[in-house]
Structure formats: structure tokens, C-alpha cells
Amino acid sequence: MRLLVLGGTSFLSKQIAHDAVARGHDVVCAARGHSGSAPEGAQLLVLDRDQPGAVKALSGERFDAVVDVATGTGALRWVLDALDVLADHAQHWTFVSTVNVYADTATLGQTTDAPLCEPVLETVTEMTVERYGGIKVACENAVRERMGSDRAFVVRSGLITGPGDGSDRFGYWAARFARGGQAVVPDSPRQPIQQIDVRDLAAWIVTAAEQRLAGTYDAVGPILELGAVLREIAELVGTPDLQLVPIAPDTLVEAGINPWSGPASLPLWLPTDTYGFVAHDPAPARAAGLAVRSLADTVRSALAHEQTRGLDRPRSAGLTPAEEQKLLERTGALDQAPTTTA
């Protein structure tokens, strides 16, 4: 199979290219190359999709399959440009979308038939969560319209984890528990959470291209409970002196702690009215071949990646040691008897 990965130099797109090369496929990665290199064995074609007409460098090329992970404010133009040049010369087209396309973030167990955000067709200069979902909806529609229902494979991914993850979300917990001591966790044990290891998602995307699987799927893992997930991470990588200190969501909000991601946050924690975001029905993707490895495998790989980057480095998500210390002091939990131990 001759495969074009629009990207291929970081995280998911690089893992897709790596997996395809390992299976013996002829892989071309089209990217700027700023975020990394293409996997060994893949060809890197340097192009910048922000530059109008850049993708025309692929004119006349034929591919058995194309994988596009376009994201950001310019994603729709990137997708349309690629389709204009390549749609008539590709047998299968994967577009990696997101569960952010769903308008309802509260209802648990939604499927791909759930209502979507309104598509965002105009050019935007500033990204918001709503615009992100709307842009992805517009991209999905463009791919289906041009490729048809029999050649378009739309993958709405949830939280992607595992080696190479630069979001600092899932990896925060492995890194934090490996440092030991009193670790603040959200007192939301029954909150649902889903994650998909990048290696599992990439393998499924390559298999789908090989088998020309079409349709729209939520690429999510099983629905778990956040409390149980954090306890398992603690048991797997935590130090002997690790103490998990649950703090109530209201107290976290009052202290200025942010949910999900970003600075001064507790990653993966969510308000109750957004639980549906991390509780989509995983059954259709599983039936279509998405295989999910153990949480333990993902945790150990995440920790190894964190150790490579440095456990004490500045992070884009999570609490700094100083922020965590201040929160423990504020709540009176500092150095008290542990509520939960690893």
C-alpha cells in the first residue's frame, strides 16, 4: 500500500507512519518538519500547508490511502486544498476528527448519531472549544462530500495518551505520583473518563486503510471511573510515601484550580455538566476492530516518556509543586494523615 500521511512528524501522525512502515508499506509524510522527523523508512516531503498552493507539490501522485490529522484555525482550508489535489487519486481517506464535534457534553453513552456543533466555515483567528468542534465538523463534511460514503473514514478521537503525548494531561499523573509525597487529586471518584493509547489508535487507522473501512466512529476506550484510574496509576508508579489527598471540586474551583488541562489545573477532572465528553459509546469502534491495550501498559509508557522529558520540567498542564503546596495549606490537608495511600 502506498500511504500518504499529511503530517507524520509528531505524536499520532508519526505513530501512524511508523506503524505503516513496520508493516512494509510505502509511506510518504508531507509536513513542515518543524515538530520532528518522519519515522525511519518513511519519505518526508517538506511542505507548509499554511502556504496557499503548497499541497500542489503532490499533484499527479497516486496513493492507495491518505490520512489527514489537520487541526487548528486553518484546518478547513488545509483539508479542502488536499482534497482538491488528491481526492481523485486516492482510494481511501482517513480524517482524524474529535469528540469535540458533539454539541451535547452532558449526556453519557452518546453515539455518532448525537447532535453536532454547527460547522464553522469562515476563517477564524482565535480558537475556542466551540470553534474547534465546529471546524472539525466542517472538515468531516468536506471529506465525506468529496470522497463519498464508501471511501471516507472519519475517526472522532477522545483523549489520546501514551508515548509522545505532549499535552501534559495524562502524563501529569504518572509523573506526579512517581515523585511521591502528598498529591492532590480531585474528589470526583465516579467521574467517567476515557482514553485511547496512541499506538492502538494508529494501528487501527492503518488497518482501516488496508481494509478500506469506511464510516464514522468515536475512537474511544472503555468508560472508566476517574478515581479508579488514578488509584491504578498510583499503584503502578507511585513511591512508598505517596499519599493521595482528595479535594472537593467546589474547593478546587474556589482556589482557582482549572479542570481538564492548562496551567494551574488538575488534568482529566471535569465539571459534572461535561461528563458526556468522556463517556461516549466505545462499542461500535471496538466491533470495527479497535483493540485497546491495558491501562497499565499506557501508564508505564507515559511515565517513561515523562522521565525522558524530565519529571520536574515546566508543564503546560497540571499543578506546580508550589501550587500544590499552597492548595494543601489552604485546605488544611498538608501533612495530615493520608486519606488515600498508594
Side-chain angles (χ1 to χ4, degrees):
M1 178 176 68
R2 190 164 192 244
L3 173 68
L4 172 66
V5 181
L6 292 166
T9 59
S10 65
F11 200 35
L12 175 60
S13 65
K14 187 168 187 172
Q15 187 65 46
I16 292 167
H18 172 80
D19 193 282
V21 168
R23 299 191 198 188
H25 297 306
D26 179 10
V27 180
V28 177
C29 299
R32 294 175 300 177
H34 292 175
S35 57
S37 59
E40 184 177 352
Q43 175 190 348
L44 175 62
L45 175 64
V46 178
L47 61 82
D48 185 350
R49 296 174 79 182
D50 273 333
Q51 300 301 317
V55 77
K56 289 182 180 178
L58 291 162
S59 294
E61 298 281 355
R62 292 183 176 274
F63 296 95
D64 297 293
V66 174
V67 176
D68 193 357
V69 297
T71 193
T73 58
L76 179 58
R77 180 170 58 79
W78 292 359
V79 168
L80 292 172
D81 287 350
L83 288 167
D84 283 344
V85 172
L86 298 163
D88 294 336
H89 307 287
Q91 297 303 310
H92 186 270
W93 196 288
T94 297
F95 179 68
V96 179
S97 188
T98 170
V99 292
N100 287 92
V101 298
Y102 295 105
D104 180 356
T105 62
T107 303
L108 278 61
Q110 293 182 77
T111 67
T112 56
D113 295 327
L116 303 179
C117 299
E118 288 296 318
V120 174
L121 302 175
E122 69 274 9
T123 300
V124 300
T125 57
E126 183 179 351
M127 184 65 78
T128 64
V129 172
E130 292 76 18
R131 287 173 179 171
Y132 175 55
I135 290 170
K136 285 287 194 176
V137 171
C139 292
E140 289 185 11
N141 292 343
V143 170
R144 292 192 199 92
E145 180 179 349
R146 190 61 186 271
M147 298 302 297
S149 60
D150 59 336
R151 293 192 297 155
F153 180 55
V154 175
V155 176
R156 293 172 178 163
S157 65
L159 174 69
I160 306 176
T161 62
D165 178 13
S167 73
D168 286 345
R169 292 175 298 197
F170 186 87
Y172 168 81
W173 294 109
R176 176 62 194 90
F177 295 164
R179 293 203 332 261
Q182 287 186 296
V184 171
V185 297
D187 192 9
S188 301
R190 294 299 183 89
Q191 177 201 308
I193 191 68
Q194 289 175 300
Q195 61 86 30
I196 182 73
D197 191 291
V198 64
R199 294 164 292 180
D200 297 334
L201 180 54
W204 187 45
I205 288 172
V206 175
T207 298
E210 293 170 338
Q211 299 177 352
R212 297 190 183 176
L213 176 64
T216 300
Y217 294 89
D218 288 335
V220 294
I223 301 173
L224 306 174
E225 291 185 346
L226 181 59
V229 168
L230 295 181
R231 288 193 299 274
E232 182 169 350
I233 297 173
E235 291 166 0
L236 287 166
V237 303
T239 60
D241 70 334
L242 175 64
Q243 301 174 7
L244 306 190
V245 183
I247 295 181
D250 288 348
T251 303
L252 295 174
V253 172
E254 291 170 2
I257 306 304
N258 297 308
W260 190 247
S261 65
S265 68
L266 282 182
L268 313 189
W269 163 53
L270 283 170
T272 56
D273 61 355
T274 58
Y275 280 7
F277 174 66
V278 288
H280 284 265
D281 183 1
R286 180 65 67 89
L290 175 58
V292 178
R293 70 189 60 223
S294 69
L295 179 64
D297 189 327
T298 297
V299 170
R300 294 189 180 99
S301 297
L303 179 59
H305 178 66
E306 290 288 333
Q307 290 170 330
T308 299
R309 298 177 69 194
L311 296 183
D312 296 321
R313 62 183 166 79
R315 307 180 61 88
S316 59
L319 299 179
T320 66
E323 289 168 341
E324 188 172 45
Q325 173 99 355
K326 183 178 179 180
L327 182 58
L328 288 167
E329 292 173 349
R330 175 186 176 125
T331 60
L334 186 65
D335 293 327
Q336 290 183 4
T339 305
T340 305
T341 59

